């Protein structure tokens, strides 16, 4: 059984992520203890609310250092919702730009659509080599967000060859936006797999299985 730490830094609704991971067979601990986070086979970074608030909470418990330490050692991390957004360079909300963890190039900006927030079930378009979406490539997932990354981080990284490009999954709400990224030890989803029924459970099962 793979061990998974869910980072406990004050973000809301973490219990649903814990329960969803337990249901797919992971041994789950909700923790902000650096030793427990370092020892786990996988780390999940949930996120609900504003980009700036999540970054402040993460830094408050040293979560930024824990994430960076794991990734430096090639240790798996999965971000969810704002947990995806903070992996990018910055987020701009209400005219204020907040630095993110800068694992991927790109800026989180407000969606341009007739209805915001984007709330509900949407299909996604994963790449052929996906691991996360194996078996659920044509399924719908549950989104709740007003902000997203609309530029392609893989394209921005192409000048850094021979670095392997991240695999990008796209969705649409008004315009195309990043729905998920798979990039070596770091993966993340803009949607909530823990609220996405059987499809979300299979995605989490795929991720837990990849922990070895």
């Amino acid at each position: 059984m793979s061990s998974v730490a869910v980072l406990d830094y004050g973000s809301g609704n973490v219990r649903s992520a814990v329960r969803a991971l337990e249901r797919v067979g992971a041994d789950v601990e909700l923790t902000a203890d650096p030793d427990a986070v370092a020892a786990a086979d996988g780390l999940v970074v949930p996120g609900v609310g504003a980009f700036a608030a999540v970054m402040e909470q993460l830094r408050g418990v040293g979560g930024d250092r824990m994430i960076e330490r794991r990734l430096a050692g090639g240790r798996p991390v999965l971000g969810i919702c704002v947990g995806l957004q903070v992996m990018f360079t910055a987020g701009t909300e209400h005219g204020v730009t907040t630095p993110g963890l800068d694992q991927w190039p790109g800026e989180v900006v407000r969606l341009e659509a007739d209805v915001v927030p984007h709330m509900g079930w949407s299909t996604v378009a994963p790449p052929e080599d996906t691991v996360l979406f194996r078996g659920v490539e044509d399924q719908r997932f549950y989104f709740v967000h007003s902000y997203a990354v609309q530029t392609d981080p893989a394209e921005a990284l192409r000048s850094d060859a021979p670095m392997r490009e991240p695999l990008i999954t796209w969705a649409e709400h008004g315009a195309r936006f990043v729905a998920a990224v798979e990039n070596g030890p770091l993966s993340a989803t803009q949607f909530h797999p823990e609220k996405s029924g059987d499809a979300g459970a299979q995605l989490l099962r795929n991720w837990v299985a990849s922990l070895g």
Side-chain angles (χ1 to χ4, degrees):
M1 181 181 292
S2 295
S3 62
V4 174
V6 175
L7 189 57
D8 185 14
Y9 63 93
S11 177
N13 205 34
V14 293
R15 294 292 176 184
S16 59
V18 170
R19 290 192 296 269
L21 287 157
E22 289 174 339
R23 284 195 294 269
V24 300
D27 178 18
V28 186
E29 181 180 5
L30 180 62
T31 182
D33 177 72
D35 292 334
V37 167
D41 296 320
L43 172 65
V44 171
V45 183
V48 175
F51 187 104
V54 168
M55 281 303 305
E56 182 179 3
Q57 291 170 311
L58 272 176
R59 295 190 192 282
V61 300
D64 52 337
R65 294 189 298 276
M66 295 182 218
I67 294 165
E68 288 164 1
R69 191 172 300 124
R70 282 190 63 90
L71 294 176
R75 306 276 285 158
V77 175
L78 175 67
I80 295 175
C81 196
V82 186
L84 170 142
Q85 296 179 2
V86 297
M87 300 300 173
F88 284 86
T89 304
T92 297
E93 297 182 357
H94 308 296
V96 177
T97 299
T98 303
L101 298 178
D102 202 22
Q103 294 296 327
W104 297 315
E107 183 178 356
V108 180
V109 297
R110 185 171 173 83
L111 290 167
E112 296 182 6
D114 292 338
V115 177
V116 176
H118 173 212
M119 183 181 299
W121 298 82
S122 293
T123 56
V124 300
E128 288 186 3
D129 295 337
T130 182
V131 173
L132 277 184
F133 292 90
R134 192 169 293 157
V136 289
E137 294 92 342
D138 59 350
Q139 299 298 302
R140 297 188 305 159
F141 295 86
Y142 189 77
F143 291 83
V144 183
H145 64 121
S146 298
Y147 295 83
V149 175
Q150 297 178 323
T151 55
D152 188 345
E155 185 175 330
L157 288 168
R158 277 175 197 142
S159 61
D160 295 334
M163 181 184 296
R164 184 180 177 186
E165 294 177 10
L167 301 177
I168 312 299
T169 293
W170 297 94
E172 287 195 18
H173 185 73
R176 190 176 76 153
F177 66 87
V178 174
V181 185
E182 300 167 68
N183 187 202
L186 180 57
S187 297
T189 67
Q190 177 61 71
F191 55 83
H192 288 272
E194 77 280 11
K195 297 179 181 179
S196 295
D198 291 343
Q202 184 59 51
L203 183 142
L204 291 175
R205 191 175 292 113
N206 290 342
W207 181 73
V208 171
S210 75
L211 301 179

